[in-house]
Amino acid sequence: MKLPDRIILHVLHMPLRFPFETSFGRVTQQETILVEAEWDGLSGWGEVPASAQPHYSSETVVTAAYVIRDFLAPALFASQIKTPASCPALFGRVRGHAMAKAGLETALWDLEARRRGVPVARLYGATRKFIESGVSLGIDPMGLLMKRVEDFAARGYRRIKLKIKPGWDERPLAEARKRLPADFPLTADANAAYAPSDSSHLKRLDRFHLDYLEQPLGHEDLADHAALAKQLRTPICLDESITTPDLARNAVRMKACRVVNIKPSRVGGPTMAIEIHDFCRKAGIPVWCGGLLESGVGRLHNIAIAGLPGFTKPGDISGSDRYYSPDVIDEPVAVSADGTIALRNRPGIGADVRADVLRRRRVERIVLKKRGR
């Protein structure tokens, strides 16, 4: 591995093609940071999909830029690490800020893969040539939502997930189940919108034969999730609760979940994501790769990680056209007619960043260099 000569943070405002609403609120524009790691004229790219508000996560674009600028980048420039896999240890003195760490680490993985002339998926240990794609649908008027359910199923997507919240759960799930084959994987994601006192209501969702119910309770409520898991037939999947390998191990051992959603940016980057994947695979816990509202840069890193053998369920990795037009990459992510996405064979993430889109969407550019350069 060659340490970068400089790090450039590109803060972008990316309008969504369609509004995306969850129990956290409604989003029409994603703020994100593309991290560019430069070495000898070569650029590697990563992403910090932290958003503007600290709702899904305590991190924001502002805090991530600050942490990378004042702590992570200086630690990297002062180090002599030989592989991006050393980033979690190098950044260990900085507590939290997983997305900031993930953005810088993914840029280093892409840079190293491009330097070697190999796909980044090979460095991550991917064994698949294709991954199964699922789609996450936000809270919308019923007619529009059901049209999207039918459209995405017709396009071959392997799993459909509906966002739910108190007062918006049984009816959309019932309507979606009517429109899908009985064995079609349908899931629901509450984004921590319910309380332990809602257990009787959540049991009513068993009748929809969901593949799993994602993050029904608070992100710190492992004990309450374990208690709820005993009452439901539907498997519980944890998302926001899984922020580190230690928490993943605790959740599984407490039987707080039977499925785990691994979002690489939420857990601190590819190295941490792979550690959670390896533990869950050994424990017999199925995992899938989740995403946030990443541009094509973050999406391609997620695709590469989802190529590992333990990712046995369709994830939230959909095509670029689900969110952005145009995307920031020169070859957008596309879902085939059979609901799969091919891993790329080109070096690095398998795409280049479009300079025209970068200029059009960028609101700030921060250049970080090693002292004395």
Side-chain angles (χ1 to χ4, degrees):
M1 170 181 165
K2 301 293 184 181
L3 290 176
D5 302 315
R6 63 178 187 167
I7 302 292
I8 305 174
L9 307 182
H10 305 270
V11 182
L12 309 182
H13 288 184
M14 299 281 289
L16 293 174
R17 291 190 65 210
F18 307 102
F20 189 69
E21 183 174 340
T22 72
S23 59
F24 293 129
R26 193 169 182 84
V27 179
T28 59
Q29 174 178 266
Q30 171 69 354
E31 297 188 19
T32 192
I33 301 174
L34 294 190
V35 182
E36 182 180 7
E38 287 189 343
W39 171 80
D40 196 26
L42 199 62
S43 288
W45 294 88
E47 184 166 359
V48 183
S51 301
Q53 298 85 23
H55 295 161
Y56 173 82
S57 164
S58 61
E59 292 184 81
T60 67
V61 165
V62 172
T63 65
Y66 161 67
V67 168
I68 294 173
R69 183 194 66 207
D70 286 14
F71 299 98
L72 303 184
L76 177 66
F77 287 137
S79 76
Q80 295 181 331
I81 60 172
K82 304 299 183 184
T83 170
S86 298
C87 283
L90 176 66
F91 299 152
R93 290 186 62 189
V94 175
R95 183 174 296 189
H97 301 283
M99 292 189 191
K101 294 174 180 178
L104 185 49
E105 185 187 331
T106 49
L108 296 178
W109 279 113
D110 186 39
L111 178 63
E112 179 64 6
R114 291 174 190 263
R115 189 183 70 83
R116 295 192 197 182
V118 300
V120 74
R122 185 180 304 177
L123 300 188
Y124 291 155
T127 59
R128 303 174 189 273
K129 294 183 178 180
F130 301 89
I131 66 165
E132 293 185 289
S133 180
V135 67
S136 176
L137 301 181
I139 297 169
D140 282 305
M142 187 65 71
L144 175 60
L145 179 60
M146 291 305 112
K147 183 179 185 305
R148 288 179 174 167
V149 167
E150 293 172 345
D151 287 348
F152 280 106
R155 289 169 58 183
Y157 279 81
R158 300 287 184 92
R159 183 270 274 148
I160 289 175
K161 179 170 80 176
L162 301 187
K163 296 289 187 177
I164 62 171
K165 63 181 180 179
W168 182 263
D169 45 27
E170 291 185 81
R171 186 178 169 216
L173 290 172
E175 292 297 323
R177 184 47 83 196
K178 289 178 187 176
R179 290 164 169 79
L180 297 171
D183 59 349
F184 188 93
L186 174 66
T187 71
D189 183 7
N191 290 115
Y194 296 84
S197 58
D198 294 318
S199 60
S200 295
H201 176 75
L202 292 172
K203 286 173 66 175
R204 293 172 57 86
L205 306 186
D206 280 340
R207 72 183 191 276
F208 300 118
H209 306 289
L210 302 176
D211 197 37
Y212 50 80
L213 172 62
E214 186 177 348
Q215 198 69 42
L217 309 179
H219 69 282
E220 295 181 338
D221 289 350
L222 291 185
D224 289 323
H225 276 107
L228 179 63
K230 295 178 181 177
Q231 302 177 56
L232 304 183
R233 294 196 309 271
T234 304
I236 287 178
C237 170
L238 289 182
D239 173 6
E240 289 96 322
S241 296
I242 308 298
T243 55
T244 66
D246 285 342
L247 282 170
R249 286 187 283 268
N250 288 339
V252 170
R253 289 166 181 163
M254 291 174 64
K255 298 184 179 180
C257 62
R258 286 191 276 160
V259 182
V260 168
N261 168 2
I262 300 177
K263 286 190 174 88
S265 61
R266 189 194 63 238
V267 303
T271 301
M272 293 296 212
I274 292 166
E275 183 177 341
I276 295 171
H277 160 276
D278 292 349
F279 166 75
C280 289
R281 189 180 183 206
K282 186 175 180 180
I285 299 294
V287 301
W288 54 276
C289 188
L292 294 166
L293 296 176
E294 291 98 339
S295 73
V297 170
R299 196 171 303 274
L300 286 172
H301 278 288
N302 289 347
I303 291 167
I305 289 173
L308 271 68
F311 286 94
T312 56
K313 288 184 176 291
D316 276 348
I317 306 172
S318 50
S320 292
D321 61 355
R322 170 72 180 93
Y323 297 107
Y324 303 112
S325 180
D327 203 336
V328 297
I329 51 175
D330 60 353
E331 185 183 342
V333 175
V335 179
S336 68
D338 67 351
T340 61
I341 298 174
L343 273 70
R344 301 199 173 180
N345 294 319
R346 289 168 54 187
I349 58 174
D352 293 317
V353 172
R354 289 179 51 175
D356 60 329
V357 178
L358 194 65
R359 286 193 300 269
R360 191 186 321 157
R361 299 304 181 196
R362 185 170 57 206
V363 297
E364 188 175 7
R365 181 174 181 267
I366 304 169
V367 180
L368 310 173
K369 299 179 182 179
K370 188 174 183 177
R371 289 182 180 179
R373 297 185 69 92

